[in-house]
Amino acid sequence: MKAKRFLAAAAVAAVAAAALTSCAAGKPAGDGEVTIFGGYGEAQAKAFQSELDNWSKDSGIKVTFTSLASFDTDIKAKVTAGQEPDIAMWPQPGGLLDMSDSLLPLSEVTDIAPAQKTLVPGWDTLAVKDGNVYGLPVSANVKTLVFYNPSAFEKNGYTVPTTDAELTALTDKIKADGSGYPWCAGIESGGATGWAITDWLEQYVLDYNGVDVYNKWIAGEVAFDSAEVTKAADKVAATLLADGQVNGGGAAMATDNFGNTAPLFETGGKAKGQCFLLRQGSFITDFFPDAIKAEVAAGDYTHANVFPLPAPDGGQAGVLGGGDLAAAFHNDADVAKVLDFILSDKVGTIMASASSFVSPHATFDTSLYPNSLTKTVGETMAKAAVFGFDGSDRMPSAVNAQFWLSGTDWVAGKVDWKTAAAAIQAKY
């Protein structure tokens, strides 16, 4: 390819144009077939294949997607056996980078600038090593969400807050009315107890400080006891640990399972432990009572709906979540064309209505989301000032484990934040 750059002046324009369409001179033509491995579940895998099949009608390239049951371990076994696909999609950027020696920088395969331009800021820095981008997102999920019961809101005259000040005013009013507790917020999860509180802290570190500081925190370059992280911890404490914010306070939070959503749908007030706000990822709908799940499946949001968690005063609207990042093992014209498609904002025309797909692109057509709940989730991503991939999942495993443990002790009132922060930071 480099030698081709020194063609005669009459050919330079043609070479440049070809490069922009991922078919530059010197790149193998491909055999008309491209393989992709990923970790999608059944519904999303089926929808993604339909998306690829629809694209293939015009491109003439047959694309086959295979879902691996245990992606992180299965992809390593495939590569070791010499059975790597053309493209793979990792649910964790760390796992992708662990295999960077087997991957190609994406810019060597195709022009990634168009995809980077439309991404929500933060997505393009997740899989960078030695200055090279090895992975970019195909799909996303969102955790910056607050679920609520519209029926309970209407009964008590509450309105959905759109700012942090309005959210604080709402929680104060709920307490003053005695209608229930503002927040539903358990963090118990068996051997993974504490992960739910890490999401809260990650959200406010991102919102207050932006993605650069957020990434430095994950890397251990910004300490847990720093002013930046302590400010986020103080916000979490004011939201959840102050008197009356959660039924039973922090001690109850530490023993209440994160999936206990029943109090959100209670109607008996404080006596029955009724709460009004549940901040969680979109997956929490799987933990709703069966009757509520049936309503949501039917498009009935009488008792369950969602709004984006407002950014704190002085902060920016960051979205916390996860997603699937594509990387390339092989380089030919067909692989380049497939990457151009799956890394673009054009993916999702089928997946948005047939699966839990959320686009990581700010320019995605949100009208493609099939109902108000999924549209709210999608728009939360599209309107985000920055995106932060789940921080604790990107931290070293020893740090993550201590974050869960010390975060739980902090919530339960066994230690103060300074003590918890020192214990976590010591694991770097």
Side-chain angles (χ1 to χ4, degrees), residues 44-45 49 114 143 171 178 202 208 223 293 296 306 348 362 428:
Q44 200 156 14
Q49 185 63 64
K143 289 187 174 183
T171 61
E202 289 157 10
Y208 278 129
K293 284 194 285 188
V296 172
V306 67
Y428 273 101

Side-chain angles (χ1 to χ4, degrees), residues 10-37:
V12 169
V15 172
L20 291 175
T21 59
S22 306
C23 297
K27 186 186 290 293
D31 61 2
E33 296 187 8
V34 172
T35 55
I36 304 177
F37 290 173

